[in-house]
Amino acid sequence: MLSTMRNAMLRSARPSMIRPTPLLRRSMFIQTASTPNEDALKFLPSHKILGENAATVEFVNGRQAYNSPLARKLFAVDGVRSVMFGPDFITVEKTTDSPWMVLKPEIFSILTEHLSSGAPVLTEDAQAAEDTAPNEEDSEVVSMIKELIDTRIRPAIQEDGGDLLYRGFTEDGIVKLKLQGACRSCDSSAVTLKNGIESMLMHYVEEVTGVEQVLDPEEEIAMKEFQKLEQKLDEKNKHQEEKEEAAPSL
């Protein structure tokens, strides 16, 4: 994830090129770039994905990918957790226990075959980002926040294979955002929000007092269930340790 927004905008990704399969068209090649989230990898095909100024499209499970033939193929790979399409990149997030050395060749093969065939990435036209679209009801402050997100923050986040959605501005000065792609599940997402996005917004818009990450209702439920499971496992481990300490030594 981004340690600071300034570093994200200054540095450029150093992609490692994967050679194309010789049986396919030689004009097709794909580069890969690592992201700060070791479970997410950014694929950079020589062909455009959604085109310039298009909003990113993210699928967090195969059921959501009904309008994307390419995403459905990627979700068919065991270990793929989420897929996000950007203007000229594809971010694939994997489960932690799935090694990239196994997944990368299969993902590369799917991307090369699909993109070389000319098949659509989406069956519906990609639309401009709706979260930051101008609105007559927007105050001057909200308009400034949206402009910063579109012109400064979103491009920097996309450099690391992620994106974000503007979810509102509260009366006490809190900007609500939802992280996506590589940034969504990265351990340093809090650093991205505080040291990067929050610092920039507070610098340019004095009315902003902070930034808060928000989750969709289903994500909040999943998070609570995961926390409950962690608590049960901790209690079980603690109980086991107490039993071992109390057992007489032979």
Side-chain angles (χ1 to χ4, degrees):
M1 192 58 54
L2 307 172
S3 59
T4 64
M5 187 61 59
R6 179 174 53 194
N7 288 342
M9 290 187 289
L10 289 177
R11 70 176 177 78
S12 58
R14 296 181 178 179
S16 57
M17 187 167 70
I18 302 178
R19 295 186 179 278
T21 305
L23 294 177
L24 299 173
R25 294 190 314 197
R26 294 184 180 180
S27 60
M28 180 65 196
F29 66 92
I30 298 176
Q31 297 175 306
T32 61
S34 60
T35 74
N37 180 358
E38 61 183 20
D39 287 332
L41 192 62
K42 190 177 179 182
F43 292 82
L44 304 164
S46 57
H47 295 181
K48 293 293 183 183
I49 305 303
L50 299 182
E52 296 296 331
N53 301 321
T56 55
V57 179
E58 182 181 36
F59 304 103
V60 296
N61 59 60
R63 288 173 296 180
Q64 293 183 352
Y66 63 89
N67 64 334
S68 175
L70 179 54
R72 288 199 299 269
K73 292 177 183 178
L74 292 171
F75 275 114
V77 178
D78 188 25
V80 171
R81 184 178 180 183
S82 71
V83 175
M84 189 177 77
F85 299 133
D88 58 359
F89 69 88
I90 299 170
T91 297
V92 177
E93 181 189 10
K94 69 177 183 63
T95 56
T96 303
D97 58 350
S98 301
W100 278 121
M101 63 181 297
V102 175
L103 292 179
K104 281 174 64 176
E106 193 167 356
I107 293 172
F108 169 70
S109 177
I110 290 172
L111 295 179
T112 305
E113 180 180 0
H114 188 92
L115 297 176
S116 295
S117 71
V121 173
L122 298 172
T123 54
E124 299 174 1
D125 293 337
Q127 301 294 323
E130 295 181 0
D131 60 316
T132 51
N135 190 313
E136 293 181 357
E137 298 180 357
D138 288 344
S139 65
E140 183 179 354
V141 172
V142 169
S143 296
M144 291 173 63
I145 292 171
K146 287 183 175 182
E147 183 177 355
L148 280 171
I149 290 174
D150 270 341
T151 60
R152 301 287 188 90
I153 298 172
R154 178 165 280 145
I157 293 289
Q158 289 181 349
E159 278 295 312
D160 271 340
D163 203 353
L164 77 167
L165 293 175
Y166 171 76
R167 286 297 178 82
F169 181 64
T170 66
E171 293 181 356
D172 55 352
I174 301 297
V175 179
K176 294 186 176 183
L177 301 171
K178 173 180 167 58
L179 296 179
Q180 293 183 302
C183 302
R184 180 172 52 81
S185 60
C186 180
D187 292 337
S188 59
S189 59
V191 178
T192 302
L193 286 171
K194 294 297 180 182
N195 290 5
I197 300 173
E198 184 177 84
S199 297
M200 176 171 287
L201 288 173
M202 291 177 65
H203 176 75
Y204 287 102
V205 186
E206 60 180 14
E207 289 84 357
V208 173
T209 60
V211 172
E212 177 183 325
Q213 181 177 1
V214 297
L215 300 175
D216 289 333
E218 59 271 19
E219 291 176 323
E220 291 182 353
I221 294 173
M223 182 70 70
K224 290 179 181 178
E225 292 299 320
F226 181 72
Q227 291 173 349
K228 289 180 182 179
L229 178 60
E230 278 192 323
Q231 185 178 359
K232 288 181 179 179
L233 291 175
D234 289 341
E235 292 175 355
K236 183 178 179 180
N237 291 335
K238 183 178 180 181
H239 181 66
Q240 183 64 31
E241 291 175 358
E242 291 175 351
K243 286 180 60 178
E244 292 176 355
E245 291 177 357
S249 58
L250 299 178

